[in-house]
Amino acid sequence: MRALRIILIVVVILGGLFVIADRVAVGFAENKAADRIKSTEGLASTPDVSIKGFPFLTQVAGGELDDVKIGIKDYEASTGGTNAATSTIRIDDLNAEMHGVVFNGDYSSATANSATGTATIAYAELLKAAKSEPAQVAPGVTARVIGLSDGGNGKIKVTVTATVLGTKVPQPVSVLSSVSVSGDTVKVHADSLPKLGVELAEGRIRAITDFQQKIDKLPGGIQLDKVEAAKEGVDISVRGSNVKLVG
């Protein structure tokens, strides 16, 4: 019994040492991966990287990690524009979960078999894509979007103001709009047209109320998937396959 007790104690100690070594190794790997991603993506701050699954060392020996979670705050995505003020759009809290991450022997590159994630674009950022400067919609009539907010039930409330023959319409007018994704572009489309106090062709009004925002070059090549209006902004789902983390 004494010998068995000693063996059990040794096993427990060795198991504890293995767990400690495993956690130290995963912490080191997470920090290195975060630094590499920051450098590869040109980020202003270091992302959060969390490697899931236990034991980590066994995954490393197999050359593939089960799951890696990455969190990036204030990511500047390209819009494809040429104007410095509108060539990027800030994405808040971009979080992605990478599945089946394969890396090479010297860890200089890593690719995920698939990825899913979420992100948020604040209404103030999306407003940059709307006609926030007065635009002529008819002789003597100008209009512009002055605000975006949550309209409830997955809709965006688009607020428009207009000037008719030099006189501002007494109160801004709001309409509920649907938001959708087409490829790499977020589109906002008014469900109904605002009453601006003057008869205008639908196409002229939609030139103000409807707009779109291209979002390009997301980390690792992930793509827009779904979008929905929320309280603070537009919530986006992203996904991808063969997503390159580093290298």
Side-chain angles (χ1 to χ4, degrees):
M1 289 294 295
R2 178 184 173 89
L4 179 59
R5 194 160 46 241
I6 292 174
I7 291 173
L8 290 175
I9 292 173
V10 170
V11 169
V12 170
I13 291 174
L14 290 177
L17 291 176
F18 175 78
V19 171
I20 293 172
D22 191 81
R23 295 302 88 192
V24 170
V26 76
F28 178 80
E30 289 170 344
N31 291 336
K32 284 296 183 181
D35 289 340
R36 291 295 299 273
I37 294 171
K38 178 183 179 182
S39 176
T40 300
E41 297 294 338
L43 304 178
S45 59
T46 303
D48 293 326
V49 175
S50 178
I51 299 173
K52 301 301 180 179
F54 179 83
F56 167 70
L57 293 174
T58 301
Q59 296 181 68
V60 170
E64 181 175 336
L65 304 177
D66 295 336
D67 294 287
V68 178
K69 291 186 177 181
I70 300 173
I72 303 174
K73 294 185 179 297
D74 300 331
Y75 180 79
E76 296 288 338
S78 170
T79 63
T82 56
N83 187 326
T86 58
S87 61
T88 61
I89 186 169
R90 189 180 74 251
I91 298 179
D92 299 328
D93 298 325
L94 174 59
N95 294 288
E97 184 166 348
M98 311 293 179
H99 309 283
V101 179
V102 179
F103 50 89
N104 62 7
D106 60 0
Y107 309 105
S108 60
S109 69
T111 303
N113 291 330
S114 63
T116 56
T118 59
T120 299
I121 299 177
Y123 287 121
E125 282 292 305
L126 191 60
L127 184 61
K128 296 176 182 178
K131 283 189 171 60
S132 54
E133 294 297 325
Q136 185 170 331
V137 294
V141 182
T142 60
R144 66 188 180 100
V145 175
I146 60 173
L148 302 176
S149 59
D150 179 23
N153 297 318
K155 302 289 185 178
I156 295 178
K157 183 167 75 172
V158 179
T159 303
V160 180
T161 187
T163 299
V164 180
L165 299 176
T167 302
K168 183 175 291 188
V169 174
Q171 294 292 333
V173 180
S174 296
V175 293
L176 294 179
S177 298
S178 298
V179 59
S180 61
V181 165
S182 177
D184 60 1
T185 301
V186 175
K187 295 184 175 182
V188 177
H189 179 82
D191 295 348
S192 60
L193 299 179
K195 306 294 185 181
L196 299 179
V198 60
E199 290 297 325
L200 296 172
E202 178 176 342
R204 290 183 177 273
I205 301 178
R206 286 200 178 279
I208 301 298
T209 60
D210 297 5
F211 58 93
Q212 58 188 37
Q213 176 64 73
K214 182 178 181 180
I215 301 175
D216 196 13
K217 298 179 180 177
L218 291 174
I222 55 177
Q223 303 291 324
L224 302 180
D225 183 33
K226 298 177 182 177
V227 63
E228 184 178 25
K231 184 176 180 179
E232 303 297 333
V234 174
D235 287 346
I236 295 173
S237 298
V238 297
R239 65 173 55 251
S241 57
N242 295 320
V243 176
K244 189 174 289 294
L245 275 72
V246 294

